[in-house]
Amino acid sequence: MLRRIYLLALAAVLALQPASAMHIMEGFLPLRWCLLWLLISLPFVLLSYRYVARQIKATPRMRSTFALSAAFVFILSALKMPSVAGSSSHLTGTTFGTLAVGPMALPLVGTIVLLFQALLLAHGGISTLGANIFSLSIAGPFVAYALYRGLGRLGLGQRLTIFVATFCGSMATYIATSFQLALAYPDPVGGILGAAWKFLGIFAITQVPLSILEGVMTVLVIGLLAQSGQSLLLQQSPAAPRRSGVRRPQLILLGVLGLVCLALPILTNFFDIGTGTDDQAGEMIGQIAPHFQEQPFWEGFDPGDGEAYLFALQVAIGIALFVWGLRKYLHSRKQEEA
């Protein structure tokens, strides 16, 4: 009963409002490019749904692992952080799920998160949904997974491997975004590559310190779970806890980290963290194509000063989903050990 109430409440939240602005804002891409990226991304989303369904059917514990992966994206993608050159941007959170469920699970996760942010937070877009799915949920996760597997064969330490995979996966998301905009708005002099360098100057450079932070957070969370006997990495058997109380310190640290993540969006309401990279991208498009005019699929609402609290709500939902997923995971582990 409680599960049904939770799912109904989540569905109600998802349906609250229409909007516009995550990696590429509503109206930033011409219609033909919106359709192209949608056609590219849609098969991945459909295959992702089938992949997740098969994984859950084959291994019931995957249901909770998938919930944990989605929760991590919900939490980290809501963190708008200050970066270099007076700008701010978001973390992605996709590598955790990539390593726990597999990269094919992320197109479905990313679609859920991007729809949530577009419909409720005026962050992202409906017409640009296909483009944002590709950058966030396809390019980033597959780059991260390829590096994780490749570096793993070299015998590097697991923490370093996870960190590098996370860093590069996060960077790949924003590099893909830069080229998506460059293809739609080639520079009059430098062409597509010239425009790409300009957009990379906005997205990629800004993302370097945030990708480092995301790498540290991903290693930390996976490490804390592993220390408590809950290894969620794909193709790695979970280790049994040595004693019943071994989980408590790690879970307390996870709780503290969750509270910090919950506080960060609210703090942005009181401190200037710089102009968002999406706004800077709009200015760059105006410089490259002076006759550019935004063509939103629909007019969204402006959350104004309430944006920070809406992002905090997203973090809170992510935390609730993470707690639910972890409890389900621990329960399934106990059943398997019984």
Side-chain angles (χ1 to χ4, degrees):
M1 183 66 180
L2 288 175
R3 181 184 173 188
R4 291 181 181 178
I5 294 174
Y6 174 80
L7 292 175
L8 286 173
L10 179 58
V13 169
L14 288 172
L16 282 178
Q17 297 283 359
S20 65
M22 183 164 177
H23 302 299
I24 299 179
M25 294 172 64
E26 179 72 40
F28 270 28
L29 286 179
L31 180 60
R32 64 181 183 278
W33 286 103
C34 293
L35 293 175
L36 176 62
W37 288 112
L38 182 62
L39 290 173
I40 292 174
S41 298
L42 186 58
F44 282 91
V45 177
L46 296 177
L47 290 172
S48 178
Y49 175 82
R50 294 183 62 183
Y51 171 82
V52 171
R54 287 198 306 269
Q55 290 291 317
I56 291 175
K57 185 177 180 180
T59 310
R61 194 195 315 134
M62 273 295 177
R63 184 188 304 274
S64 54
T65 306
F66 178 77
L68 290 170
S69 303
F72 201 72
V73 179
F74 256 87
I75 294 170
L76 262 66
S77 65
L79 304 182
K80 187 176 183 181
M81 307 291 289
S83 187
V84 297
S87 62
S88 60
S89 187
H90 289 263
L91 308 181
T92 67
T94 56
T95 301
F96 179 93
T98 298
L99 303 185
V101 191
M104 275 308 302
L106 268 297
L108 179 60
V109 172
T111 300
I112 295 170
V113 173
L114 288 167
L115 278 173
F116 179 90
Q117 293 190 337
L119 293 172
L120 179 64
L121 306 182
H123 215 69
I126 297 301
S127 67
T128 58
L129 182 63
N132 289 332
I133 288 173
F134 182 84
S135 61
L136 177 71
S137 310
I138 299 172
F142 278 91
V143 167
Y145 187 71
L147 280 170
Y148 176 76
R149 295 298 299 272
L151 293 175
R153 294 191 181 99
L154 297 178
L156 299 179
Q158 188 178 83
R159 291 181 181 179
L160 178 59
T161 299
I162 294 173
F163 173 82
V164 173
T166 304
F167 173 85
C168 293
S170 176
M171 292 298 298
T173 291
Y174 285 90
I175 290 172
T177 299
S178 300
F179 276 93
Q180 286 173 322
L181 290 171
L183 287 169
Y185 300 102
D187 186 78
V189 178
I192 293 174
L193 286 179
W197 279 113
K198 293 181 178 180
F199 288 117
L200 285 169
I202 294 173
F203 287 106
I205 294 177
T206 296
Q207 201 63 21
V208 168
L210 302 189
S211 295
I212 294 173
L213 175 61
E214 182 171 340
V216 171
M217 292 182 69
T218 303
V219 170
L220 178 62
V221 171
I222 291 177
L224 288 173
L225 290 172
Q227 289 172 24
S228 66
Q230 317 308 323
S231 179
L232 301 179
L233 296 182
L234 195 65
Q235 299 176 342
Q236 182 174 341
S237 299
R242 287 172 295 181
R243 61 181 186 275
S244 59
V246 73
R247 298 192 190 101
R248 184 165 297 175
Q250 288 77 25
L251 295 183
I252 290 174
L253 288 174
L254 285 171
V256 172
L257 184 60
L259 291 175
V260 171
C261 291
L262 185 61
L264 285 175
I266 298 175
L267 290 175
T268 62
N269 223 20
F270 303 98
F271 299 95
D272 182 12
I273 60 172
T275 306
T277 51
D278 42 13
D279 295 322
Q280 293 182 349
E283 295 174 2
M284 181 58 69
I285 292 173
Q287 295 176 22
I288 295 174
H291 301 295
F292 161 76
Q293 289 185 345
E294 291 185 31
Q295 299 176 347
F297 180 74
W298 71 36
E299 294 293 338
F301 79 109
D302 182 5
D305 294 336
E307 180 185 83
Y309 298 101
L310 289 174
F311 274 119
L313 172 63
Q314 179 181 327
V315 174
I317 292 174
I319 291 173
L321 185 60
F322 194 91
V323 171
W324 179 84
L326 188 56
R327 289 185 63 183
K328 283 287 185 180
Y329 183 87
L330 294 174
H331 180 69
S332 66
R333 282 288 313 282
K334 287 181 180 179
Q335 288 184 327
E336 291 174 3
E337 294 168 2

